[in-house]
Amino acid sequence: MREVDKRTTVRRRVFLRGAATAPAAAAAVAAGMTIAPNAAWAADLKAVKPNTMTVLARAARDIYPHDQLADRYYIAAVLPYDDQAAKDAALKSLLEEGAAQLDAEAKKRFGRDYIRVGSEEQRVQVLQAVEKSAFFQKLRGDLVVSLYNQKEVWPKLGYEGSSYEHGGYIRRGFDDIDWLPEA
Amino acid sequence: MTTFDLNDDSVVVIIGSGAGGGTLGNELAQRGAKVVVLEAGGRHEIADFVNDEWASFTQLAWSDTRTTGGSWRVAKDFPNLPAWIVKAVGGSTTHWAGASLRFAEHEFRTRTHYGAIEGANLADWPITLAELEPYYARAEDKMGVTGTNGIPRLPGNNNYKVLAAGAKKLGYKEFHTGNMAINSEPRADRASCHQLGFCFQGCKMGAKWSTLYTEIPAGEETGRLEVRPNSMAIRIEHDAAGRATGVVYADAEGRQQRQRARVVSVAGNSIESPRLLLNSASAKFPDGMANSSGQVGRNYMRHTTGSVYAVFDRPVHMYRGTTMAGIIRDESRHDPKRGFAGGYELETLSLGVPFMAAFLEPGAWGRGFTSAMDAYDRMAGLWIVGEDLPQERNRITLDSKVKDRNGMPVASVHFDDHRNDLAMRDHAYQQGRALYEAVGATRTFETTPYPSTHNLGTNRMSANARDGVVDKWGKAHDLPNLYVSDGSQFTSGAACNPTLTIVALAIRQAEHIAGRMARGEV
Ligand SMILES: Cc1cc2nc3c(=O)[nH]c(=O)nc-3n(C[C@H](O)[C@H](O)[C@H](O)COP(=O)(O)OP(=O)(O)OC[C@H]3O[C@@H](n4cnc5c(N)ncnc54)[C@H](O)[C@@H]3O)c2cc1C
Ligand code: SF4
């Protein structure tokens, strides 16, 4: 069977688009960006506080954890919020208050800010505590598109995307399954 | 291209350019009638289609607000997206998968065969399979349906091969790559399928039948058919005698226009068609046009659906090739011993990563969900298409609070599953899981129904004017020159994807309307 190459294609900078349903300005995300307290990529935003943005990225990873995806895909998924929040005060406060609530819950349970809680299991407990909130619902709902609609994510899940320009699959393995019992 | 004057009252005005409206328009134009098709959406040709699920959805799908009510899960997960259908020239035949099945005889006569079922509003159609058979044959020829007219079936893709292997293990007998309105070889000046795997996004090969590039240009070539895109019908008007006289619509700039008409046909699909009739209430028709029976908007059906996705230890790549690549028909019989009336089909289905993320388990998060997505390339999938029972309370109404940009109340869609629907879905889920487990699935998912792609029954046909909205020709019982030409005519839904029947009815209706026009009856 023809397999999909899931290795990272090495490029210095990848440009990822935000949610298709809310086409934001293309966010430039560099290959080496990681999610950490005081990350440089979150230092200089228009509307959203640096700490809020890093919490959003951490929460994004904890909501849809894929170990084969580098942090930058999660950063790309939440970074468009900065542009949107610059134009939408209600969204801005939803995000700021939501992130503050995650920190408060984390402090209450584990004595430290959300992003500094080391165990994923414990951070998931914090998320479960706020699961019903408008903040969580908004973040989770947006991530379905802003994470899974990144074309760079598709091959890592074994999906090949647009096929027309390659002549479809008629000669590229539409029927190449080789392990089934005879039908 | 031909254009008709707004005051030309010799034209047939058809609202909607999809399976029903597009076909009726062409068939009438071929018979010499003058036709204006009003289409709410824009015109996007094959070259404009994109192999990208969300981008295509944004381009073609109906995303104007609708509201929901009832106990169905769609109302919770997608409260403003009760249906996944299209707003564009060609209607939902741009998005559809192409499965083209004939109703069985008993499916036209459910009241007779199923008896009275509590909570269901069962009725027999005023037509029989025998009456429709010649039109089914013409529809299959027109659409180039595989497995008919000597057209070879499509080759099976990986997703089909998994389904077929499982079907065999379960002892099913009738399974194959379907009756598809997709060219398996070049036909009717259209290319053959290259297994792109984006049938739901508009077929970029033009291999799949759509009114956009078959019926509509054929009608336009006669010089007697004009399609007006970006034209949203708001109200149908009538005279003192109760004859439909024209249609008021909003044009691309939002200006209201009035197209006069000799005959009006409503073909906006089963949510918009009753919405338009209800919004056309007047002193003469206080409960909405054609609604003396009170049945306009009622008996909304959406098929008993659901999906089963299964994960294997080895790759499948189900997304390669035709989306609906094969079918199992053994469960489509009526056999109450299974605990429900009516039957269902199992058809392969595949979604790309973007839609899988949205629909596999709406609302889910965490490693339970992401481990499933990680297995995307080892998944196979099927879709259940079962007969759901008409219920009077499942209905389309005008939302009293929400209006669209033209000031027209939006459609509110209320749906509760009937006990029969739930029993059937459970049975189908179990069979689907058993089938995949028989060929080595390590994990299976019962995926909840997507927003409705099949929408039926809201202007039902009836022999008697008191029981339904239209007669056996799709003509309104209450008006001499108003027709319904889409799936909202269906008296029952059958265990069949509906489009072949919509097209067959439209061909038959065109013959009838042309005959009446020739005889001077309208
Ligand atoms: C993803 C998907 C897959 C499907 N697969 C299959 C399949 O395999 N087999 C099958 O049989 N069926 C399938 N269907 C269903 C099929 O597409 C529909 O049954 C069929 O197209 C319905 O025909 P219609 O004429 O009733 O409505 P449509 O084809 O939906 O056309 C209605 C048109 O009317 C327009 N309209 C509505 N209101 C107004 C107004 N007020 N003014 C002007 N225009 C208006 C709409 O914009 C639309 O273009 C599928 C549907 C979808 C979405
Ligand atoms: S798989 Fe075939 S029918 Fe589907 S989009 Fe591709 S060419 Fe068209």
Side-chain angles (χ1 to χ4, degrees), chain A residues 2-3 6 63-68 120 131 151 158 160 162-164 168-170 173-177 179, chain B residues 51-52 156-158 161 168 194-196 198 204 315 319-320 353 357 364-367 369-370 374 377:
Chain A
R2 187 174 63 77
E3 285 304 305
K6 296 181 179 176
I63 291 171
Y64 290 123
H66 288 282
D67 300 335
Q68 74 277 39
E120 178 183 317
E131 198 177 4
K151 290 193 168 66
E160 298 173 80
S162 179
S163 80
Y164 174 70
Y169 291 106
I170 196 159
F174 81 104
D175 64 348
D176 65 356
I177 197 161
W179 51 263
Chain B
N51 278 187
D52 180 324
N157 66 2
N158 291 340
K161 288 184 174 181
K168 195 172 176 202
H194 280 53
Q195 304 286 339
L196 304 189
F198 285 89
K204 276 193 85 66
Y319 57 87
R320 292 181 186 164
V353 158
W365 59 280
R367 289 203 177 257
F369 179 79
T370 53
D374 284 340
D377 55 355

Side-chain angles (χ1 to χ4, degrees), chain B residues 283-521:
Chain B
K284 191 171 180 70
F285 301 116
D287 299 323
M289 188 169 271
N291 197 20
S292 65
S293 64
Q295 294 291 314
V296 169
R298 293 187 185 273
N299 311 305
Y300 171 64
M301 296 175 285
R302 58 173 319 268
H303 277 138
T304 295
T305 70
S307 280
V308 177
Y309 289 99
V311 173
F312 294 87
D313 58 344
R314 279 166 289 185
V316 177
H317 300 290
M318 65 173 168
Y319 57 87
R320 292 181 186 164
T322 43
T323 305
M324 210 159 261
I327 186 169
I328 301 169
R329 306 211 58 185
D330 295 67
E331 301 284 1
S332 68
R333 68 195 189 279
H334 168 58
D335 172 11
K337 284 202 293 295
R338 289 173 300 181
F340 51 87
Y344 63 87
E345 316 275 355
L346 300 171
E347 302 175 347
T348 78
L349 191 83
S350 138
L351 300 175
V353 158
F355 277 10
M356 189 59 84
F359 294 124
L360 177 65
E361 177 60 65
W365 59 280
R367 289 203 177 257
F369 179 79
T370 53
S371 61
M373 291 301 293
D374 284 340
Y376 174 77
D377 55 355
R378 288 180 280 120
M379 258 184 208
L382 63 78
W383 192 53
I384 302 157
V385 191
E387 174 163 16
D388 61 336
L389 301 184
Q391 301 179 68
E392 276 204 301
R393 288 190 339 200
N394 285 347
R395 64 188 291 207
I396 313 303
T397 50
L398 297 179
D399 194 301
S400 56
K401 294 189 204 76
V402 188
K403 293 200 159 92
D404 70 8
R405 70 176 82 84
N406 301 309
M408 180 178 177
V410 306
S412 177
V413 183
H414 177 101
F415 189 86
D416 299 311
D417 288 300
H418 189 278
R419 248 183 306 110
N420 198 77
D421 307 344
L422 297 174
M424 180 188 288
R425 182 176 295 129
D426 269 354
H427 191 272
Y429 275 148
Q430 275 178 40
Q431 292 305 106
R433 297 176 85 134
L435 179 153
Y436 286 129
E437 280 159 8
V439 282
T442 54
R443 187 179 177 192
T444 54
F445 300 88
E446 294 179 0
T447 291
T448 185
Y450 314 120
S452 316
T453 54
H454 300 174
N455 298 271
L456 304 166
T458 50
N459 294 304
R460 61 158 40 174
M461 263 192 196
S462 64
N464 200 308
R466 122 189 125 237
D467 304 325
V469 181
V470 298
D471 70 8
K472 63 189 285 188
W473 303 105
K475 188 188 81 60
H477 288 301
D478 299 347
L479 291 92
N481 63 339
L482 177 73
Y483 286 82
V484 174
S485 315
D486 59 18
S488 66
Q489 299 170 84
F490 284 28
T491 314
S492 65
C496 293
N497 314 58
T499 306
L500 182 75
T501 303
I502 295 174
V503 172
L505 288 171
I507 300 171
R508 177 171 169 274
Q509 188 179 65
E511 243 176 45
H512 161 82
I513 294 175
R516 285 188 74 207
M517 287 171 67
R519 292 190 298 275
E521 292 171 22

